[in-house]
Amino acid sequence: MDSKLTKKAMFSLIIFALTLLLTPINSHAVDKYWIGDSGFWDYSLNWSPPGQPQEADWVYLYQSDSTNREVWYWNTAYPSARLTLLGIDAIGTGTMSLLQYKDPLLAGNELIGQSGTGTFKQTGGTNTVTGNLYLGYYSSGSGTYELSGAG
């Protein structure tokens, strides 16, 4: 992996974490990182540490390579869980997208395109943000939220 890309990814994660320190939150459960290619949210092995995100987790859908990834939101195990944070960001040449077509999603804060690009496409279900929804958090960030269908 390119060392400049790795340093940029680490720098982005550190800055991201520091900016959220001043945000009021509930108890912090677990940091969950998407490690799969394209796949379903509720598939345990797509996450590190393994297991679907649960109440108060900080969820990171991040990528720093050339792979286009889609996460298909299907939350049958914890439909009422409130995430503390949901971040969607691609700092590589690939894309990172969350596609919600069913089930409720509840988050304190959502950052779509923090320092890279991120996309959230909602065609069904509900997406409730109790804090802040950011589209393109830093000047280098670009976030897209597409709402259509029954969403």
Side-chain angles (χ1 to χ4, degrees):
M1 182 179 281
D2 184 86
S3 63
K4 287 184 180 179
L5 188 57
T6 303
K7 288 179 184 177
K8 183 177 179 183
M10 288 303 296
F11 179 74
S12 292
L13 286 174
I14 291 168
I15 295 298
F16 177 69
L18 291 174
T19 60
L20 292 175
L21 286 176
L22 299 176
T23 303
I25 59 171
N26 292 338
S27 63
H28 180 175
V30 177
D31 289 336
K32 290 289 202 172
Y33 295 91
W34 183 264
I35 59 170
D37 285 322
S38 291
F40 286 100
W41 177 280
D42 66 346
Y43 183 61
S44 176
L45 297 180
N46 282 328
W47 297 100
S48 177
Q52 184 175 335
Q54 300 179 35
E55 181 71 28
D57 284 351
W58 290 43
V59 175
Y60 303 97
L61 305 177
Y62 287 178
Q63 68 90 333
S64 61
D65 57 27
S66 61
T67 303
N68 295 331
R69 290 181 178 85
E70 290 184 340
V71 177
W72 305 305
Y73 186 78
W74 184 326
N75 190 350
T76 55
Y78 308 104
S80 62
R82 179 187 178 273
L83 304 175
T84 299
L85 171 82
L86 170 62
I88 306 168
D89 203 28
I91 60 170
T93 58
T95 61
M96 178 56 84
S97 301
L98 177 65
L99 285 66
Q100 181 184 12
Y101 57 94
K102 64 175 274 176
D103 296 330
L105 175 59
L106 176 62
N109 295 292
E110 290 182 0
L111 285 87
I112 304 169
Q114 178 194 344
S115 59
T117 58
T119 302
F120 189 131
K121 296 178 182 180
Q122 182 183 359
T123 59
T126 57
N127 179 34
T128 304
V129 181
T130 60
N132 297 300
L133 170 63
Y134 297 100
L135 299 174
Y137 191 74
Y138 295 110
S139 61
S140 62
S142 175
T144 302
Y145 190 100
E146 295 178 19
L147 177 62
S148 64

